Each structure stands twice: as structure tokens, then as C-alpha cells.
Amino acid sequence: MPDSIAGPSLTPIRGALGLSVAMGMGRFFYTPALPLMVAALHWGSAPGAWIATLNYVGYFIGTLVIAQGWVEPNRYVYRLSLIVSTLGLVAVAVTPNLIWQGGIRTIAGIASGLIFVCVTQRIPANSRKPRDGGISYGGVGFGILVSGAIVLAAGNFADWRQLWLICGAVSAIFSIIAWAWPIPARIPPHTTPSEAADPTETNTDDHAEAATPFEANRRRAMAILSTGYFFQGGGYIIIGTYLVVLAGPVFGATAAASTWLIAGIATAASPLTWSAVAARIGTVKALTLCYCLQVFGALLAVFGSSPIVLIIAAALFGFTFIGVVMMTIGVGTQMGVANASAKLTSWYSIGQIVGPAIVAAAMSEHIAAAFIASAIALAIAMALTLAGVLTGNVDR
């Protein structure tokens, strides 16, 4: 339905539901569903970790092909990805075969990455009011909330296959509304991302700029900030993948999804809240506070065995991870680095791949140890982020 007919007020909602399909369900429904799958299929922790890792590999591929200019973030790519993401949820229910599960979750990750870029790149152009961007970004949290609610409400009478089918049906409804998110059928060449998202690639176009001390210092600051963002990606995703697993023995496999529900509520409220905090005390102070809360939440999950402690940990996780993403990219942009968002996101995506892989390889039977590793990674991320800010002389 054209936006002029449906009303421009629906535009941020369409963006929010697009991100709900891509992230809250397409990527993160696996988290509340995992304990039930582990119990039904008699998996250890390792299969779930490797399947999660493949999903993050797919997400990286999805963002990379756009950043490289191989695929346009246009209307057709966006809509096809909505379809693929929804069908990917349904396809998980076909068979528990690990090769099938890994392949489907890889494809779903690619679709999620494509949708995320197609929506977020258009948020500035489609935002008519200051809060519109926050509403659209809040779709990530809303999708997480819906994912937890599905498992919490239906987990007592539906098996793991039926839960994935229910989620696929909800994703289809959201996709119908998100379908009309305003995005061009063709992207002019000059607006297509031209720089690679590969963090190991040297930017040869700006070699002349590196001759000045200012540019050399800025590049050094960006390198430090990017390394910190890598640790952030690895640290946060361990919490996001295993929070419900950690809560399982405390709540029970089905009721453990309540922690994911709390995380979704906190995530939905996060973008508008951290925007207001940053406007009041400054981005750097707000970013530091956000990181401190995130580290505390990871440690709280490890040392807490009561429902209230795990609920607080879930709320802190949801309340902080989108805030860190928004504000770190803001700092990179403030440094004046070209395509700061693409460069940072590439490091973040690699961190998301490495985090679950380390858990699968070394900590598959010790989930509490994985959360300690997460807290350490997040503390390193905070230190490097602040070092990058100081090196780049970002306005504090």
C-alpha cells in the first residue's frame, strides 16, 4: 500500500516490523527456542553453538555483499529477503538434521543482514520526526519480545517444530505490513556503499590523507575503536545466545523464555532512552554508562541463581546492546571517517561469529564460564572504545 494512502505515520512502524522480522525473529527466535530443542533432541551445547555461529556467518555475508556493491539494497532485495527470512523460520521445523539446520540458519542470516541494511540505510530519509528513527530501531526489541512471548505462551502445549511454525506465521503477518517500507526500486550508483566492509582491507583511496598527522591519528583512533567493537560483538552475542539456556535450570525450559521476553521489552525501550541520555550528558559518558551496565549484567547472570537476578540480567542485556551499537557508530561518524558504520559493523559481525565459536569449541559444557568470558570481552571493548575516543579527540 502506498505510503500516501496508508499515512506517513505508518512508515516508522513498517521499518520497525521489518527489523522485527530480520532480527527479533529471523535471528533471535533461536534463543528462546533452543532450550526446548536441546531437551527434545538431546543435543549438547555444541550443536546449538555451531548452528548459531553459521547464522552469524550468514548475517556477515548479507551485510558484506551490500557493502561491496555486489547487491543493491533496493526494494526487490528487501522484499525477497522478507520472504526468505519467513520461509527460513518455517524450514527449521522440517527436520532436526544438523546439516539442514545449519544450512537453513545460514540462509536466514543472509536474509537478516540484507533486511537490516535495507531498513537502516533508509531510516534517515524516511524519518519525518526525531522519534521516528527510535521507533524503527525499536523493532529489534519488539521482535525479541514477540519471540519470547511465543515460546512462553505456546511452549507448554506446542513442540519445538510447532513453535517455529507459529513464529513463521507471525513473521508473515509482520512482513505484509513491512512490505511497503519506502525504498527505491533502483539505488543510484553514488548512494551504493562503495567501500568494502572487510576490516582487513586497507583503504587505498585515501592514502594521500594519511600523510597528515591529523589523518594518521584519526585512522589510529578508528582502528582502536573498531577493535573494541569486535570485542563488543563477541561479548554481547554470547549473552544473547545463551541467556535462556542459563535460565533453564532456574525457570524450567519453557518458563526460561520469560527472560527473553524481559530482554525484548528492555531492547524496545532502549533506542529512544539512550538517545535522550546521550543528548543530556554527552555520547561518550552515555556510552561508558551503557557499557558498565552491560558488563554488570553479564556478571550478574553468572553469579545469580534466582529468578529475580536473571530477570535483571536479561533487562540489562536488552537495555544496553542496541544503545552501544547506536552510540559507537555515532562516535565513529563524529570522527569524520568515511563509511564508519560499514567498517565498524564488519568488525562487529566477525565478533559475533567468533564468540559462539569459542563457546562451542572450549566452553560447550560450561555456560557460566562463557558468561565470564563475555564480561571480560565487554570490559575490553569498553576500554578500547574509550581509548579510541580519546585518541580521536572526539568531543566529549
Short mmCIF file of all heavy atoms in Angstrom, two decimals, residues 24-72:
data_model
loop_
_atom_site.label_atom_id
_atom_site.label_comp_id
_atom_site.label_asym_id
_atom_site.label_seq_id
_atom_site.Cartn_x
_atom_site.Cartn_y
_atom_site.Cartn_z
N GLY A 24 14.56 -9.73 15.47
CA GLY A 24 13.87 -10.30 16.62
C GLY A 24 13.40 -11.72 16.40
O GLY A 24 13.44 -12.54 17.31
N MET A 25 12.98 -12.03 15.16
CA MET A 25 12.52 -13.38 14.86
C MET A 25 13.48 -14.14 13.96
O MET A 25 13.90 -15.26 14.28
CB MET A 25 11.12 -13.32 14.23
CG MET A 25 10.06 -12.88 15.23
SD MET A 25 8.39 -12.77 14.51
CE MET A 25 8.57 -11.28 13.54
N GLY A 26 13.85 -13.56 12.84
CA GLY A 26 14.73 -14.23 11.90
C GLY A 26 16.05 -14.66 12.50
O GLY A 26 16.57 -15.74 12.21
N ARG A 27 16.62 -13.82 13.38
CA ARG A 27 17.89 -14.16 14.01
C ARG A 27 17.71 -14.70 15.42
O ARG A 27 18.36 -15.66 15.81
CB ARG A 27 18.80 -12.92 14.07
CG ARG A 27 19.33 -12.47 12.73
CD ARG A 27 20.46 -11.48 12.90
NE ARG A 27 21.67 -12.14 13.37
CZ ARG A 27 22.73 -11.50 13.86
NH1 ARG A 27 22.69 -10.19 13.98
NH2 ARG A 27 23.77 -12.16 14.25
N PHE A 28 16.84 -14.09 16.21
CA PHE A 28 16.87 -14.34 17.65
C PHE A 28 15.77 -15.24 18.18
O PHE A 28 15.73 -15.51 19.38
CB PHE A 28 16.85 -13.00 18.41
CG PHE A 28 18.15 -12.24 18.32
CD1 PHE A 28 18.16 -10.91 17.95
CD2 PHE A 28 19.35 -12.86 18.60
CE1 PHE A 28 19.36 -10.21 17.87
CE2 PHE A 28 20.55 -12.17 18.53
CZ PHE A 28 20.56 -10.85 18.16
N PHE A 29 14.87 -15.72 17.34
CA PHE A 29 13.90 -16.69 17.86
C PHE A 29 14.61 -17.96 18.30
O PHE A 29 14.13 -18.69 19.18
CB PHE A 29 12.84 -17.03 16.80
CG PHE A 29 11.76 -17.95 17.32
CD1 PHE A 29 10.81 -17.49 18.21
CD2 PHE A 29 11.72 -19.29 16.92
CE1 PHE A 29 9.83 -18.35 18.70
CE2 PHE A 29 10.74 -20.14 17.41
CZ PHE A 29 9.80 -19.67 18.31
N TYR A 30 15.75 -18.23 17.72
CA TYR A 30 16.54 -19.40 18.06
C TYR A 30 16.88 -19.42 19.56
O TYR A 30 16.97 -20.50 20.17
CB TYR A 30 17.82 -19.38 17.23
CG TYR A 30 18.64 -20.64 17.29
CD1 TYR A 30 18.22 -21.80 16.66
CD2 TYR A 30 19.85 -20.66 17.97
CE1 TYR A 30 18.98 -22.96 16.70
CE2 TYR A 30 20.63 -21.81 18.02
CZ TYR A 30 20.19 -22.95 17.38
OH TYR A 30 20.94 -24.09 17.43
N THR A 31 17.06 -18.24 20.16
CA THR A 31 17.48 -18.19 21.56
C THR A 31 16.43 -18.76 22.53
O THR A 31 16.74 -19.65 23.31
CB THR A 31 17.85 -16.75 21.95
OG1 THR A 31 18.95 -16.31 21.13
CG2 THR A 31 18.26 -16.65 23.40
N PRO A 32 15.17 -18.28 22.52
CA PRO A 32 14.20 -18.87 23.45
C PRO A 32 13.78 -20.28 23.06
O PRO A 32 13.34 -21.06 23.91
CB PRO A 32 13.01 -17.90 23.39
CG PRO A 32 13.10 -17.27 22.05
CD PRO A 32 14.58 -17.14 21.77
N ALA A 33 13.91 -20.63 21.77
CA ALA A 33 13.51 -21.97 21.33
C ALA A 33 14.59 -23.01 21.62
O ALA A 33 14.29 -24.21 21.70
CB ALA A 33 13.20 -21.97 19.83
N LEU A 34 15.84 -22.57 21.78
CA LEU A 34 16.95 -23.51 21.92
C LEU A 34 16.81 -24.48 23.10
O LEU A 34 17.05 -25.68 22.94
CB LEU A 34 18.27 -22.75 22.00
CG LEU A 34 19.55 -23.60 22.11
CD1 LEU A 34 19.66 -24.55 20.92
CD2 LEU A 34 20.78 -22.71 22.20
N PRO A 35 16.42 -24.02 24.31
CA PRO A 35 16.31 -24.98 25.42
C PRO A 35 15.32 -26.11 25.13
O PRO A 35 15.57 -27.27 25.51
CB PRO A 35 15.83 -24.11 26.60
CG PRO A 35 16.31 -22.74 26.27
CD PRO A 35 16.19 -22.64 24.78
N LEU A 36 14.20 -25.79 24.48
CA LEU A 36 13.22 -26.82 24.15
C LEU A 36 13.77 -27.78 23.09
O LEU A 36 13.50 -28.99 23.14
CB LEU A 36 11.93 -26.17 23.66
CG LEU A 36 11.19 -25.31 24.69
CD1 LEU A 36 9.98 -24.65 24.06
CD2 LEU A 36 10.78 -26.15 25.89
N MET A 37 14.54 -27.25 22.14
CA MET A 37 15.15 -28.11 21.12
C MET A 37 16.21 -29.01 21.73
O MET A 37 16.30 -30.19 21.40
CB MET A 37 15.74 -27.25 20.00
CG MET A 37 14.71 -26.44 19.23
SD MET A 37 15.44 -25.39 17.95
CE MET A 37 15.92 -26.62 16.72
N VAL A 38 17.00 -28.46 22.64
CA VAL A 38 18.03 -29.24 23.32
C VAL A 38 17.40 -30.39 24.09
O VAL A 38 17.87 -31.54 24.04
CB VAL A 38 18.88 -28.35 24.26
CG1 VAL A 38 19.74 -29.20 25.18
CG2 VAL A 38 19.75 -27.40 23.45
N ALA A 39 16.31 -30.09 24.81
CA ALA A 39 15.63 -31.12 25.60
C ALA A 39 14.99 -32.19 24.72
O ALA A 39 15.07 -33.39 25.01
CB ALA A 39 14.58 -30.48 26.50
N ALA A 40 14.35 -31.77 23.63
CA ALA A 40 13.63 -32.71 22.77
C ALA A 40 14.58 -33.54 21.91
O ALA A 40 14.31 -34.72 21.64
CB ALA A 40 12.64 -31.96 21.89
N LEU A 41 15.67 -32.94 21.46
CA LEU A 41 16.57 -33.60 20.51
C LEU A 41 17.81 -34.17 21.19
O LEU A 41 18.66 -34.76 20.51
CB LEU A 41 16.98 -32.60 19.42
CG LEU A 41 15.82 -31.99 18.63
CD1 LEU A 41 16.31 -30.91 17.69
CD2 LEU A 41 15.07 -33.07 17.86
N HIS A 42 17.92 -33.94 22.51
CA HIS A 42 19.04 -34.46 23.28
C HIS A 42 20.38 -33.94 22.75
O HIS A 42 21.37 -34.66 22.67
CB HIS A 42 19.03 -35.99 23.30
CG HIS A 42 17.73 -36.58 23.75
ND1 HIS A 42 17.29 -36.48 25.06
CD2 HIS A 42 16.76 -37.23 23.06
CE1 HIS A 42 16.10 -37.07 25.15
NE2 HIS A 42 15.76 -37.54 23.96
N TRP A 43 20.38 -32.66 22.40
CA TRP A 43 21.61 -32.01 21.97
C TRP A 43 22.45 -31.65 23.18
O TRP A 43 21.93 -31.38 24.27
CB TRP A 43 21.31 -30.72 21.21
CG TRP A 43 20.82 -30.91 19.83
CD1 TRP A 43 20.72 -32.08 19.12
CD2 TRP A 43 20.36 -29.88 18.94
NE1 TRP A 43 20.22 -31.84 17.87
CE2 TRP A 43 20.00 -30.50 17.73
CE3 TRP A 43 20.23 -28.51 19.05
CZ2 TRP A 43 19.51 -29.78 16.64
CZ3 TRP A 43 19.74 -27.78 17.98
CH2 TRP A 43 19.39 -28.42 16.77
N GLY A 44 23.75 -31.59 23.00
CA GLY A 44 24.60 -30.91 23.96
C GLY A 44 24.61 -29.43 23.61
O GLY A 44 23.81 -28.96 22.78
N SER A 45 25.52 -28.68 24.21
CA SER A 45 25.60 -27.25 23.91
C SER A 45 26.28 -26.97 22.58
O SER A 45 26.01 -25.96 21.93
CB SER A 45 26.35 -26.52 25.03
OG SER A 45 25.68 -26.65 26.25
N ALA A 46 27.17 -27.87 22.15
CA ALA A 46 27.96 -27.62 20.95
C ALA A 46 27.14 -27.48 19.67
O ALA A 46 27.36 -26.55 18.89
CB ALA A 46 29.02 -28.71 20.79
N PRO A 47 26.16 -28.38 19.37
CA PRO A 47 25.40 -28.20 18.13
C PRO A 47 24.69 -26.85 18.05
O PRO A 47 24.71 -26.19 17.01
CB PRO A 47 24.38 -29.36 18.18
CG PRO A 47 25.03 -30.39 19.03
CD PRO A 47 25.79 -29.62 20.07
N GLY A 48 24.09 -26.43 19.16
CA GLY A 48 23.42 -25.14 19.16
C GLY A 48 24.37 -24.00 18.91
O GLY A 48 24.06 -23.04 18.19
N ALA A 49 25.58 -24.10 19.49
CA ALA A 49 26.57 -23.03 19.31
C ALA A 49 27.03 -22.95 17.85
O ALA A 49 27.15 -21.85 17.29
CB ALA A 49 27.77 -23.28 20.22
N TRP A 50 27.26 -24.10 17.23
CA TRP A 50 27.72 -24.08 15.84
C TRP A 50 26.62 -23.60 14.89
O TRP A 50 26.90 -22.87 13.93
CB TRP A 50 28.21 -25.47 15.43
CG TRP A 50 29.54 -25.82 16.01
CD1 TRP A 50 29.83 -26.83 16.88
CD2 TRP A 50 30.78 -25.14 15.78
NE1 TRP A 50 31.15 -26.82 17.21
CE2 TRP A 50 31.77 -25.80 16.54
CE3 TRP A 50 31.15 -24.04 15.01
CZ2 TRP A 50 33.11 -25.40 16.55
CZ3 TRP A 50 32.48 -23.64 15.02
CH2 TRP A 50 33.44 -24.30 15.78
N ILE A 51 25.38 -23.99 15.15
CA ILE A 51 24.28 -23.51 14.31
C ILE A 51 24.13 -21.99 14.46
O ILE A 51 23.91 -21.27 13.49
CB ILE A 51 22.97 -24.23 14.66
CG1 ILE A 51 23.06 -25.71 14.24
CG2 ILE A 51 21.77 -23.57 13.98
CD1 ILE A 51 21.92 -26.56 14.74
N ALA A 52 24.26 -21.49 15.69
CA ALA A 52 24.21 -20.04 15.92
C ALA A 52 25.33 -19.35 15.17
O ALA A 52 25.14 -18.29 14.56
CB ALA A 52 24.28 -19.75 17.41
N THR A 53 26.52 -19.93 15.20
CA THR A 53 27.67 -19.34 14.51
C THR A 53 27.42 -19.25 13.01
O THR A 53 27.73 -18.23 12.38
CB THR A 53 28.93 -20.18 14.77
OG1 THR A 53 29.22 -20.18 16.17
CG2 THR A 53 30.13 -19.60 14.03
N LEU A 54 26.83 -20.29 12.43
CA LEU A 54 26.53 -20.27 11.00
C LEU A 54 25.52 -19.17 10.66
O LEU A 54 25.61 -18.54 9.60
CB LEU A 54 26.00 -21.63 10.55
CG LEU A 54 27.04 -22.76 10.52
CD1 LEU A 54 26.36 -24.10 10.24
CD2 LEU A 54 28.10 -22.48 9.46
N ASN A 55 24.58 -18.93 11.57
CA ASN A 55 23.63 -17.84 11.36
C ASN A 55 24.34 -16.50 11.32
O ASN A 55 24.04 -15.63 10.50
CB ASN A 55 22.57 -17.86 12.46
CG ASN A 55 21.50 -16.80 12.28
OD1 ASN A 55 21.45 -15.84 13.04
ND2 ASN A 55 20.65 -16.95 11.27
N TYR A 56 25.32 -16.32 12.19
CA TYR A 56 26.07 -15.06 12.22
C TYR A 56 26.98 -14.92 11.01
O TYR A 56 27.20 -13.81 10.51
CB TYR A 56 26.88 -14.96 13.52
CG TYR A 56 26.04 -15.15 14.75
CD1 TYR A 56 26.49 -15.91 15.82
CD2 TYR A 56 24.75 -14.61 14.84
CE1 TYR A 56 25.70 -16.12 16.95
CE2 TYR A 56 23.96 -14.81 15.95
CZ TYR A 56 24.44 -15.56 17.00
OH TYR A 56 23.66 -15.77 18.11
N VAL A 57 27.49 -16.06 10.51
CA VAL A 57 28.26 -16.03 9.26
C VAL A 57 27.37 -15.55 8.12
O VAL A 57 27.77 -14.71 7.29
CB VAL A 57 28.84 -17.42 8.95
CG1 VAL A 57 29.43 -17.46 7.53
CG2 VAL A 57 29.92 -17.80 9.96
N GLY A 58 26.14 -16.08 8.08
CA GLY A 58 25.20 -15.63 7.06
C GLY A 58 24.91 -14.16 7.15
O GLY A 58 24.86 -13.45 6.13
N TYR A 59 24.73 -13.67 8.38
CA TYR A 59 24.47 -12.24 8.58
C TYR A 59 25.63 -11.40 8.05
O TYR A 59 25.42 -10.38 7.39
CB TYR A 59 24.26 -11.97 10.07
CG TYR A 59 23.95 -10.53 10.41
CD1 TYR A 59 22.68 -10.01 10.22
CD2 TYR A 59 24.94 -9.70 10.91
CE1 TYR A 59 22.39 -8.70 10.53
CE2 TYR A 59 24.66 -8.38 11.24
CZ TYR A 59 23.39 -7.88 11.04
OH TYR A 59 23.10 -6.58 11.35
N PHE A 60 26.84 -11.83 8.33
CA PHE A 60 28.02 -11.11 7.84
C PHE A 60 28.04 -11.10 6.31
O PHE A 60 28.32 -10.07 5.69
CB PHE A 60 29.29 -11.75 8.39
CG PHE A 60 30.56 -11.14 7.85
CD1 PHE A 60 30.93 -9.86 8.21
CD2 PHE A 60 31.37 -11.84 6.98
CE1 PHE A 60 32.10 -9.29 7.73
CE2 PHE A 60 32.54 -11.29 6.49
CZ PHE A 60 32.90 -10.00 6.86
N ILE A 61 27.72 -12.24 5.70
CA ILE A 61 27.68 -12.31 4.24
C ILE A 61 26.64 -11.33 3.68
O ILE A 61 26.88 -10.62 2.71
CB ILE A 61 27.37 -13.74 3.77
CG1 ILE A 61 28.53 -14.68 4.13
CG2 ILE A 61 27.11 -13.79 2.26
CD1 ILE A 61 28.22 -16.15 3.90
N GLY A 62 25.46 -11.29 4.33
CA GLY A 62 24.41 -10.40 3.86
C GLY A 62 24.82 -8.95 3.88
O GLY A 62 24.53 -8.19 2.94
N THR A 63 25.49 -8.53 4.95
CA THR A 63 25.93 -7.13 5.02
C THR A 63 27.12 -6.88 4.09
O THR A 63 27.25 -5.80 3.51
CB THR A 63 26.32 -6.76 6.46
OG1 THR A 63 27.33 -7.66 6.94
CG2 THR A 63 25.12 -6.84 7.38
N LEU A 64 27.98 -7.88 3.93
CA LEU A 64 29.18 -7.70 3.12
C LEU A 64 28.85 -7.51 1.64
O LEU A 64 29.44 -6.65 0.97
CB LEU A 64 30.10 -8.91 3.29
CG LEU A 64 31.41 -8.88 2.50
CD1 LEU A 64 32.30 -7.74 2.97
CD2 LEU A 64 32.14 -10.22 2.62
N VAL A 65 27.89 -8.28 1.11
CA VAL A 65 27.61 -8.18 -0.33
C VAL A 65 27.04 -6.82 -0.69
O VAL A 65 27.25 -6.33 -1.81
CB VAL A 65 26.64 -9.30 -0.78
CG1 VAL A 65 27.29 -10.66 -0.63
CG2 VAL A 65 25.31 -9.25 -0.04
N ILE A 66 26.35 -6.17 0.27
CA ILE A 66 25.88 -4.81 0.01
C ILE A 66 27.02 -3.82 0.15
O ILE A 66 27.19 -2.92 -0.68
CB ILE A 66 24.72 -4.45 0.95
CG1 ILE A 66 23.47 -5.27 0.59
CG2 ILE A 66 24.40 -2.96 0.87
CD1 ILE A 66 22.25 -4.96 1.43
N ALA A 67 27.83 -3.98 1.19
CA ALA A 67 28.94 -3.05 1.40
C ALA A 67 29.93 -3.10 0.23
O ALA A 67 30.53 -2.09 -0.13
CB ALA A 67 29.65 -3.39 2.71
N GLN A 68 30.10 -4.27 -0.38
CA GLN A 68 31.00 -4.42 -1.52
C GLN A 68 30.37 -3.91 -2.82
O GLN A 68 31.07 -3.78 -3.82
CB GLN A 68 31.38 -5.89 -1.70
CG GLN A 68 32.28 -6.44 -0.60
CD GLN A 68 33.73 -6.08 -0.81
OE1 GLN A 68 34.05 -5.10 -1.49
NE2 GLN A 68 34.63 -6.83 -0.22
N GLY A 69 29.08 -3.65 -2.81
CA GLY A 69 28.42 -3.20 -4.03
C GLY A 69 27.99 -4.33 -4.94
O GLY A 69 27.58 -4.10 -6.07
N TRP A 70 28.08 -5.57 -4.45
CA TRP A 70 27.67 -6.71 -5.27
C TRP A 70 26.16 -6.82 -5.37
O TRP A 70 25.62 -7.38 -6.32
CB TRP A 70 28.24 -8.00 -4.70
CG TRP A 70 29.75 -8.02 -4.65
CD1 TRP A 70 30.61 -7.35 -5.48
CD2 TRP A 70 30.57 -8.74 -3.73
NE1 TRP A 70 31.91 -7.61 -5.12
CE2 TRP A 70 31.93 -8.46 -4.06
CE3 TRP A 70 30.30 -9.59 -2.66
CZ2 TRP A 70 32.99 -9.01 -3.35
CZ3 TRP A 70 31.37 -10.15 -1.97
CH2 TRP A 70 32.70 -9.86 -2.30
N VAL A 71 25.45 -6.35 -4.34
CA VAL A 71 23.99 -6.39 -4.30
C VAL A 71 23.49 -5.01 -3.91
O VAL A 71 24.05 -4.38 -3.00
CB VAL A 71 23.49 -7.44 -3.29
CG1 VAL A 71 21.98 -7.36 -3.12
CG2 VAL A 71 23.90 -8.84 -3.72
N GLU A 72 22.46 -4.54 -4.59
CA GLU A 72 21.86 -3.25 -4.24
C GLU A 72 20.86 -3.42 -3.10
O GLU A 72 20.06 -4.35 -3.11
CB GLU A 72 21.09 -2.67 -5.43
CG GLU A 72 21.93 -1.93 -6.44
CD GLU A 72 21.05 -1.19 -7.44
OE1 GLU A 72 19.81 -1.34 -7.37
OE2 GLU A 72 21.59 -0.46 -8.27
#
